[in-house]
Amino acid sequence: MAERELGDVGTDFKFEDNDVKVWDLVLEPGQSSDWHHHTNRYVFIVTRPGTLRTEHDDGSVTVSELKLGQVVKGIHHAVHRVTNVGDALYSNAIIEMKGEMKD
């Protein structure tokens, strides 16, 4: 993993207990998240559809069209940042599963 300053996985912390941690990620067109590290297994649910560009720590880039209500299983231990490359507000809810779980 390249040395870089890492931030939060979402833009707005919502809830945490012994089992889960929940965030919202809301991005205006052209806005990027912080570079962040997913230390927990997680899924996200698209709450406003759009197009995200994901920059990965290894230098690779992917672009994804995400539909309203789509559920995506994230990559555990991923280091990345996402940018809203669409022309409308994008958002999702991130649910991190804490503790030992099977892939």
Side-chain angles (χ1 to χ4, degrees):
M1 175 168 42
E3 286 297 319
R4 67 175 82 242
E5 187 173 332
L6 300 176
D8 292 328
V9 302
T11 54
D12 188 25
F13 173 76
K14 293 297 194 181
F15 174 81
E16 182 173 10
D17 67 13
N18 291 332
D19 301 312
V20 298
K21 193 170 186 179
V22 180
W23 298 83
D24 277 343
L25 175 68
V26 180
L27 298 173
E28 296 285 347
Q31 185 180 10
S32 297
S33 71
D34 292 335
W35 277 95
H36 56 275
H37 179 206
H38 286 278
T39 58
N40 296 308
R41 287 174 173 77
Y42 71 101
V43 297
F44 67 86
I45 303 161
V46 178
T47 54
R48 288 187 186 100
T51 306
L52 288 186
R53 182 183 75 228
T54 304
E55 298 169 77
H56 304 274
D57 200 44
D58 66 3
S60 64
V61 175
T62 57
V63 176
S64 302
E65 292 285 334
L66 298 159
K67 298 181 184 322
L68 180 63
Q70 184 175 351
V71 178
V72 178
K73 182 178 178 182
I75 299 170
H76 189 212
H77 293 299
V79 176
H80 61 246
R81 77 171 170 184
V82 295
T83 301
N84 178 356
V85 295
D87 58 5
L89 188 69
Y90 170 84
S91 66
N92 66 39
I94 303 162
I95 301 147
E96 297 182 285
M97 284 72 67
K98 297 164 67 176
E100 291 298 314
M101 301 183 83
K102 294 182 180 180
D103 284 325

